[in-house]
């Protein structure tokens, strides 16, 4: 799954070719769409094929293609991998390389003193619930992407929010629960999630690998459809029409957490 915009570098993703048996496994790879580029079209396992989208000449919209990997040395081929691309316009990007967080505003929940830019990332010290928001409250359909790094695998570090009403805090939130290895998508009616009487879980909790490495979370809003991606894999889908527009926010609680490479691509 790729999300792209003119002038925005879309990171490549790897397809890994492995040999679970003996002997040599030779392979060839091809794509059936001109916008799909491959770092290699033949080789011997083990190998990693970097797949990248070429946005040149592509209009805003959705695109579908496939990568086919074939080998005369195996009986379970060919492998056909679907490749999905959503092209929009870049509405926001912040990698905190300036050492400042001037694009961000602390929510009424407070605890703003816990936020600071450290080592090129926007970090929170874990001293109580807080949110920092950015963007345009009139945004409707978009994908929010954030690189998230936890300080521990204890519960309640926080997550990200989209379609945020910057006055009330009403929004959709993706929260990480490292202690149980779960990711949850919530409908939230106010800034303080702890006292939210209308807090609603959308869909079932999903188990994802959680550790203190950097992972990428994306949440896409398209009409009433909400899709959550963890390290580019689709993990949660839900339908909810309660909130149609809003800004974005980074959410924290009582564990240190850091955010980087925040992007919004509008559709």
């Amino acid at each position: 799954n790729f999300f792209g915009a003119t002038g925005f570098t879309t990171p490549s993703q790897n397809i890994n070719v492995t040999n679970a048996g003996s002997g040599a496994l030779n392979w060839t790879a091809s794509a059936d769409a001109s916008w799909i580029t491959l770092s290699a079209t033949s080789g011997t396992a083990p190998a990693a094929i970097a797949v990248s989208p070429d946005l040149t000449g592509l209009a805003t919209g959705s695109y579908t293609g496939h990568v086919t990997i074939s080998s005369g040395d195996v009986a379970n081929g060919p492998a056909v991998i679907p490749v999905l691309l959503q092209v929009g316009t870049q509405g926001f990007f912040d990698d905190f390389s300036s050492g400042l967080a001037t694009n961000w505003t602390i929510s009424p929940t407070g605890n703003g003193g816990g936020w600071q830019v450290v080592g090129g990332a926007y970090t929170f010290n874990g001293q109580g619930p807080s949110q920092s928001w950015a963007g345009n409250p009139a945004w409707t359909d978009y994908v929010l992407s954030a690189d998230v790094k936890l300080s521990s695998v204890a519960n309640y570090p926080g997550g990200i929010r989209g379609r945020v009403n910057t006055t009330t805090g009403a929004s959709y939130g993706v929260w990480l629960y490292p202690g149980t290895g779960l990711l949850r998508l919530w409908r939230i009616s106010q800034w303080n999630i702890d006292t939210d009487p209308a807090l609603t879980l959308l869909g079932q909790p999903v188990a994802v690998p959680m550790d203190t490495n950097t992972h990428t979370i994306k949440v896409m809003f398209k009409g009433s459809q909400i899709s959550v991606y963890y390290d580019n894999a689709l993990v949660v889908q839900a339908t909810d029409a309660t909130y149609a527009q809003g800004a974005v926010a980074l959410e924290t609680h009582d564990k240190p957490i850091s955010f980087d490479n925040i992007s919004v691509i509008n559709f």
Side-chain angles (χ1 to χ4, degrees), residues 147-218:
D147 290 345
V148 180
K149 183 176 176 61
L150 305 177
S151 64
S152 72
V153 291
N155 272 341
Y156 311 118
I160 60 175
R161 293 196 193 193
R163 285 188 175 172
V164 179
N165 181 315
T166 58
T167 300
T168 66
S171 52
Y172 297 104
V174 179
W175 266 63
L176 299 170
Y177 296 82
T180 50
L182 295 177
L183 180 149
R184 291 181 169 96
L185 172 64
W186 298 99
R187 184 177 68 230
I188 308 167
S189 70
Q190 61 183 33
W191 279 116
N192 192 337
I193 194 172
D194 290 340
T195 60
D196 187 353
L199 184 66
T200 302
L201 181 65
L202 302 177
Q204 294 298 313
V206 175
V208 296
M210 294 191 190
D211 48 41
T212 56
N213 297 318
T214 299
H215 295 274
T216 302
I217 302 174
K218 294 183 174 76

Side-chain angles (χ1 to χ4, degrees), residues 49-253:
I49 307 168
V51 183
S52 305
D54 181 0
L55 274 59
T56 304
L58 296 185
T60 299
S62 300
Y63 298 84
T64 302
H66 304 82
V67 173
T68 299
I69 304 176
S70 304
S71 174
D73 299 324
V74 299
N76 64 336
V80 180
I81 299 97
V83 184
L84 307 177
L85 171 65
Q86 182 76 43
V87 179
T89 58
Q90 187 174 350
F92 180 87
F93 180 76
D94 198 342
D95 62 1
F96 308 100
S97 58
S98 68
L100 302 173
T102 52
N103 294 319
W104 299 84
T105 302
I106 303 301
S107 78
T109 306
N111 294 320
W115 290 94
Q116 59 180 325
V117 177
V118 178
Y122 198 24
T123 67
F124 185 75
N125 62 13
Q127 300 301 309
S130 184
Q131 301 87 20
S132 187
W133 69 267
N136 189 339
W139 283 339
T140 54
D141 291 350
Y142 59 84
V143 58
L144 163 65
S145 176
D147 290 345
V148 180
K149 183 176 176 61
L150 305 177
S151 64
S152 72
V153 291
N155 272 341
Y156 311 118
I160 60 175
R161 293 196 193 193
R163 285 188 175 172
V164 179
N165 181 315
T166 58
T167 300
T168 66
S171 52
Y172 297 104
V174 179
W175 266 63
L176 299 170
Y177 296 82
T180 50
L182 295 177
L183 180 149
R184 291 181 169 96
L185 172 64
W186 298 99
R187 184 177 68 230
I188 308 167
S189 70
Q190 61 183 33
W191 279 116
N192 192 337
I193 194 172
D194 290 340
T195 60
D196 187 353
L199 184 66
T200 302
L201 181 65
L202 302 177
Q204 294 298 313
V206 175
V208 296
M210 294 191 190
D211 48 41
T212 56
N213 297 318
T214 299
H215 295 274
T216 302
I217 302 174
K218 294 183 174 76
V219 55
M220 182 174 72
F221 303 98
K222 203 168 186 181
S224 62
Q225 301 300 307
I226 306 170
S227 304
V228 180
Y229 299 80
Y230 188 83
D231 286 341
N232 298 306
L234 178 62
V235 293
V236 179
Q237 286 186 298
T239 301
D240 191 275
T242 306
Y243 309 131
Q245 64 185 47
V248 301
L250 309 176
E251 176 140 33
T252 64
H253 205 265

